[in-house]
Amino acid sequence: MPSRKALIRRPSPGIAEGLVSHSERSSVDADLALLQWEMYAEALREHGWETIETEPLDECPDGVFVEDTVVMFRNVALITRPGAESRRPETVTVEESLARLGCSVNWIWEPGTLDGGDVLKIGDTLYVGRGDRTNAAGVQQLRAVFEPLGARIVAVPVSRVPHLKSAVTALPDGTVIGYPPHIDAPSVFPRHLPVPEQSGAHVVLLGGGRLLMAASAPKTAELFSDLGYQPVPVDISEFEKLEGCVTCLSVRLRELSV
Ligand SMILES: NC(=O)NCCC[C@H](N)C(=O)O
């Protein structure tokens, strides 16, 4: 039976020290972040996802953004080598968790860098953002690992936001959604729908038309409702201050047979 598991990591008490690269830093409330993270995990569970917690890493302020540590394709976990050096220690425990879950594990090697938040998967197509965090060697290694498994890798320039998925994600029908000022090359995407809010660009597909999204994007939620989807809003204000979004707080494992 296909699994519906989601890997998550609880925020570090030092989360306020997390990286901020494309916006002004504002103060983060670590207690509120923990509460918001618990509600996020609860929303996943309420919609049928079993949450699996990878080991907490108090010394890694950005460890909660677990999406950046791995790219999943079928049952293969490609452990990343994050572009920000401070984030590299985050991958070890994720690798252990995924190996325990029965994934086949592969790695990005030096000089490659790649962040999971730069990889948007739509069916068998993997769009990969080439920006501050993911370099050309990282893109080449992504191709080498996943093309033989049937993936099509499409590289996309990213300069306005930290990660490709800070700018675009996709609806269940494959339509790419994005906030236009943040997208370098919208014409790369065959079907593209602009959204009116920056945090409206991020959805986690919960199944059956339900879209987990940030409470900070009410106009976009209205647009999606109007298109026949069911938005599931969660307040992630403390993660947004660190340029995080709903997608980067979990890794959904959809194709494991366990
Ligand atoms: N995939 C993502 O959008 N990850 C968010 C990472 C935020 C973290 N503060 C960082 O800059 O790495």
Side-chain angles (χ1 to χ4, degrees):
M1 195 174 67
S3 72
R4 275 166 62 94
K5 297 185 195 300
L7 193 71
I8 53 175
R9 170 155 36 219
R10 69 180 46 244
S12 151
I15 185 170
E17 306 305 318
L19 294 172
V20 175
S21 54
H22 285 68
S23 56
E24 295 265 302
R25 183 176 284 280
S26 55
S27 73
V28 172
D29 179 335
D31 294 331
L32 180 56
L34 179 59
L35 194 68
Q36 291 179 343
W37 177 81
E38 280 164 353
M39 308 275 280
Y40 174 93
E42 189 53 35
L44 287 173
R45 288 189 289 269
E46 266 173 22
H47 292 276
W49 293 82
E50 177 192 350
T51 51
I52 297 180
E53 244 190 279
T54 194
E55 203 177 305
L57 289 176
D58 287 359
E59 65 284 14
C60 293
D62 284 306
V64 68
F65 302 115
V66 70
E67 169 186 59
D68 292 319
T69 59
V70 64
V71 178
M72 292 297 305
F73 186 75
R74 308 202 196 294
N75 73 325
V76 178
L78 175 61
I79 303 298
T80 65
R81 183 166 178 270
E85 215 170 323
S86 65
R87 300 202 54 191
R88 295 201 184 137
E90 295 174 25
T91 57
V92 179
T93 48
V94 168
E95 176 181 334
E96 287 164 1
S97 298
L98 292 170
R100 268 199 300 274
L101 286 168
C103 294
S104 165
V105 176
N106 219 313
W107 297 268
I108 294 286
W109 299 101
E110 194 177 358
T113 64
L114 183 124
D115 277 23
D118 273 322
V119 181
L120 171 63
K121 190 165 43 168
I122 305 180
D124 285 347
T125 300
L126 270 55
Y127 292 95
V128 54
R130 163 68 185 94
D132 288 349
R133 306 293 178 94
T134 295
N135 66 14
V139 174
Q140 281 166 7
Q141 292 179 33
L142 182 77
R143 285 197 189 106
V145 172
F146 289 137
E147 277 183 349
L149 301 181
R152 190 169 65 110
I153 311 294
V154 179
V156 187
V158 171
S159 69
R160 304 177 189 186
V161 283
H163 295 103
L164 175 66
K165 285 167 76 178
S166 321
V168 291
T169 60
L171 294 173
D173 66 3
T175 301
V176 169
I177 52 167
Y179 181 60
H182 286 176
I183 309 172
D184 284 78
S187 59
V188 170
F189 307 107
R191 236 182 13 258
H192 172 233
L193 178 70
V195 297
E197 292 144 318
Q198 130 179 14
S199 56
H202 320 126
V203 290
V204 172
L205 309 185
L206 293 171
R210 288 158 305 163
L211 310 175
L212 188 66
M213 58 183 292
S216 57
K219 289 189 197 134
T220 312
E222 218 174 288
L223 168 68
F224 293 157
S225 293
D226 206 45
L227 295 175
Y229 293 110
Q230 295 96 52
V232 176
V234 283
D235 187 355
I236 53 160
S237 63
E238 301 315 288
F239 305 107
E240 289 172 332
K241 291 175 186 171
L242 296 166
E243 301 176 327
C245 48
V246 279
T247 50
C248 50
L249 293 170
S250 61
V251 178
R252 279 157 310 136
L253 309 169
R254 286 165 286 190
E255 297 182 64
L256 294 184
S257 293
V258 286

